[in-house]
Amino acid sequence: MKIVNPELRPYLIDHATPADEILQELAAENRRAYPRDVRMQITPDQGAFLALLVRLTGARTVVEVGTFTGYSAIWIARALPEGGRLITCDMSEEWTAVARRYWERADVTDRIDLRMGDAAETLRAMPREEHVDLAFVDADKVGYPVYYEEVLTRLRPNGLMVLDNTLQRGQVVDDSDTSPSTLAIREINDAITADKRVESVLLSVYDGLTVVRKR
């Protein structure tokens, strides 16, 4: 199932703040070096949307769960105000080595705190007070229910959480799909809708973006 007409994708990307040369080169390297994994990279219009949210909210402390090769982190870090910080979690030394190269080129290394290891454990090790302004969750889908709770605990009132891939290529409405990832996405989508601590909207942007505001 196509969430967005593929013929519209270039038009949508062309009518958002464009990716600069560094981001374009990183995307090209991802396609060349990681053809099977490149779908883990967000699209340029998603990057522009995240950057816009950071600027609109004045976010100073942002958490990213899953960075791949650092493409989304560049969009977020560039939008941070002076003194802002992005805490990003990942497990892959290979992918984050690429990220570090491009963060250096984009001059955002001083704004990014990369924490290696299991994301759930990284989140649990963070202070439990409500200090996070914005979070972006884009990691293994089976972990989403855990990541959601751990992030929400630390999100300040009126803080935002954005979760990617919440339509699972349309498989969320296919009852025959019982894969662990799809089951986990159905679980978290239903849990967010029923959660009285938040208000939310699921946007049909690329593969689904859920935006959550903590009350």
Side-chain angles (χ1 to χ4, degrees), residues 77-186:
R78 281 176 167 171
L80 287 168
E82 185 176 353
R85 182 174 64 150
L86 169 63
I87 301 168
T88 188
C89 316
D90 210 282
M91 296 184 67
S92 172
E93 295 286 353
E94 178 182 358
W95 292 340
T96 55
V98 177
R100 290 177 192 273
R101 282 196 286 112
Y102 280 90
W103 293 342
E104 185 71 29
R105 290 184 57 193
D107 195 27
V108 294
T109 301
D110 61 332
R111 306 180 193 180
I112 299 176
D113 177 2
L114 173 61
R115 301 187 182 181
M116 301 297 295
D118 179 79
E121 293 306 314
T122 297
L123 293 170
R124 289 179 183 127
M126 293 173 61
R128 292 185 63 83
E129 62 261 22
E130 298 172 319
H131 67 287
V132 175
D133 301 307
L134 189 147
F136 179 47
V137 179
D138 187 19
D140 62 292
K141 309 315 166 197
V142 173
Y144 270 35
V146 172
Y147 304 148
Y148 173 78
E149 285 296 333
E150 294 299 331
V151 169
L152 190 66
T153 297
R154 294 158 176 82
L155 198 66
R156 65 165 173 80
N158 289 318
L160 297 181
M161 186 188 328
V162 180
L163 300 93
D164 197 14
N165 304 116
T166 47
L167 289 176
Q168 278 292 92
R169 302 175 304 281
Q171 296 304 108
V172 286
V173 295
D174 181 356
D175 292 339
S176 68
D177 187 341
T178 57
S179 64
S181 291
T182 300
L183 291 176
I185 290 298
R186 288 192 191 117

Side-chain angles (χ1 to χ4, degrees), residues 3-57:
I3 306 303
V4 176
N5 185 334
E7 295 179 4
L8 287 175
R9 291 297 308 152
Y11 186 86
L12 294 172
I13 291 171
D14 288 346
H15 289 81
T17 300
D20 70 356
E21 183 177 344
I22 292 173
L23 286 164
Q24 291 176 34
E25 290 181 13
L26 174 52
E29 181 167 336
N30 286 338
R31 290 191 297 271
R32 181 177 63 253
Y34 306 111
R36 294 184 179 180
D37 302 309
V38 70
R39 60 186 176 81
M40 291 192 286
Q41 175 199 295
I42 64 169
T43 56
D45 50 334
Q46 287 178 300
F49 179 65
L50 288 173
L52 189 62
L53 289 180
V54 173
R55 291 190 172 99
L56 283 172
T57 60

